[in-house]
Amino acid sequence: MTTLLYDGSFDGLFTAIFEVFEYRYKDVEIVGRERFYQENIFAEIHEVITQNDKAERVLNKLEQNIGKSGIHELLKVYLSEDSELELLILSAVKQSIQHPEENILQNYADNDMLKISKICKSVSRERHRMTAFVRFEKMQDDAFFAKIDPDFNVIPLIRKHFKDRYQDQKWMIYDLRRNYGILYDLENCDFFYPDEKLDLSTYQQKFHNEEAQYQTLWQRYFTKTNIVERKNLKLHIQHIPKRYWKYLTEKK
């Protein structure tokens, strides 16, 4: 068994996959350094240094075989943070090379491809819900801030949606669990990585004076328009699961 240790990045993973073929490893596992703990004392450790040219060669070959849409599906697997993501992506790359004439991601008779399909559906569902349930709050510097805590690392998948939709105001979306986010300053939309996690105890102190008034008005509106006789909690939870209520102003 050979264990390839990589830095956890997307390019690092595809560098590792390139080196699986480069060194003709057969019995391998690919593990991010942060998640690595050595169980098999007989395993050979191979340190992977991320090299963009190697990653690009794998991705170019993949694009020929499964198209850009297929690569996007594998990106979802990577962002799922599933414990088997490296194994699944490596399996997809190997099968795409062995069967370049087939759309291997649709071969649901293969257990790995079936799991990839299920993961992609879950990540896509989470991405959709984040675009629907994110609530911005106005801060003292007139920028709008939203905090999220998704099950999967969907920040890269929602970036374009919010950039296209909110082009006339400054905003930030911050992932509480992963301590990073996206920042739009009316010109650029970039990822940001704060040194420290958001301090929720002082967070509300930075609200704009109008924000508390707005939230109160919205909560009153929601209460007034909620017809008790037509309340269907079961259906409501189907459309808006409880774990998303923490994002919604009307649920506070």
Side-chain angles (χ1 to χ4, degrees):
M1 166 72 77
T2 301
T3 299
L4 285 81
L5 293 183
Y6 76 107
D7 61 7
S9 69
F10 192 66
D11 284 340
L13 172 56
F14 280 90
T15 301
I17 291 173
F18 180 94
E19 293 186 356
V20 168
F21 292 95
E22 181 181 18
Y23 297 110
R24 300 183 179 180
Y25 291 135
K26 299 301 181 185
D27 186 16
V28 300
E29 63 174 353
I30 303 174
V31 183
R33 291 191 187 96
E34 291 183 356
R35 295 189 290 112
F36 175 67
Y37 56 94
Q38 188 167 354
E39 291 182 335
N40 184 355
I41 62 174
F42 300 106
E44 177 187 349
I45 305 299
H46 175 87
E47 291 276 353
V48 175
I49 305 301
T50 299
Q51 298 179 53
N52 293 338
D53 59 330
K54 288 186 175 182
E56 198 67 28
R57 286 176 64 179
V58 179
L59 289 168
N60 287 339
K61 186 64 176 178
L62 271 176
E63 186 175 342
Q64 293 175 18
N65 295 345
I66 62 176
K68 290 183 178 179
S69 60
I71 293 176
H72 191 66
E73 294 298 282
L74 295 185
L75 173 63
K76 291 178 186 176
V77 176
Y78 169 75
L79 296 174
S80 73
E81 302 170 330
D82 189 273
S83 61
E84 296 183 343
L85 73 89
E86 293 93 353
L87 172 67
L88 294 170
I89 293 175
L90 176 60
S91 176
V93 172
K94 285 182 174 180
Q95 292 194 46
S96 74
I97 292 173
Q98 293 169 356
H99 308 286
E101 72 286 350
E102 299 178 16
N103 188 340
I104 54 97
L105 293 179
Q106 293 184 1
N107 179 19
Y108 305 133
D110 182 272
N111 288 333
D112 289 345
M113 300 308 107
L114 180 61
K115 184 164 186 179
I116 284 175
S117 175
K118 290 179 178 179
I119 289 174
C120 288
K121 287 179 181 177
S122 296
V123 173
S124 295
R125 189 179 304 116
E126 187 78 337
R127 181 245 174 222
H128 175 73
R129 285 172 171 168
M130 285 298 102
T131 61
F133 300 145
V134 163
R135 295 292 187 268
F136 286 100
E137 296 169 312
K138 192 174 184 179
M139 311 306 286
Q140 292 173 4
D141 61 358
D142 290 331
F144 289 84
F145 186 88
K147 55 188 185 298
I148 62 175
D149 185 20
D151 286 347
F152 310 114
N153 181 16
V154 296
I155 283 278
L157 300 178
I158 64 175
R159 177 183 177 187
K160 184 179 185 303
H161 168 85
F162 285 99
K163 181 179 182 295
D164 292 344
R165 186 169 182 180
Y166 299 105
Q167 297 183 12
D168 60 347
Q169 59 195 35
K170 296 179 181 180
W171 51 263
M172 293 178 286
I173 301 176
Y174 173 74
D175 187 327
L176 292 165
R177 187 178 307 188
R178 297 163 186 88
N179 190 35
Y180 88 110
I182 41 179
L183 167 66
Y184 177 67
D185 63 2
L186 299 180
E187 293 184 2
N188 302 305
C189 187
D190 297 317
F191 296 107
F192 70 93
Y193 303 87
D195 294 332
E196 299 179 357
K197 288 191 175 183
L198 177 69
D199 183 358
L200 293 177
S201 62
T202 62
Y203 167 66
Q204 290 188 339
Q205 297 175 15
K206 297 181 180 180
F207 277 177
H208 192 284
N209 292 336
E210 298 173 355
E211 180 59 29
Q213 298 175 18
Y214 165 77
Q215 291 193 12
T216 300
L217 286 172
W218 179 245
Q219 289 161 359
R220 287 177 181 171
Y221 170 80
F222 183 78
T223 301
K224 292 291 186 181
T225 56
N226 185 25
I227 302 173
V228 177
E229 291 78 9
R230 295 184 179 178
K231 188 173 183 178
N232 186 334
L233 185 59
K234 183 177 180 180
L235 180 62
H236 183 65
I237 291 175
Q238 284 181 0
H239 288 292
I240 311 177
K242 280 190 174 182
R243 65 190 180 90
Y244 297 103
W245 289 11
K246 58 190 173 184
Y247 305 122
L248 306 179
T249 304
E250 60 268 27
K251 295 295 185 181
K252 294 181 179 177

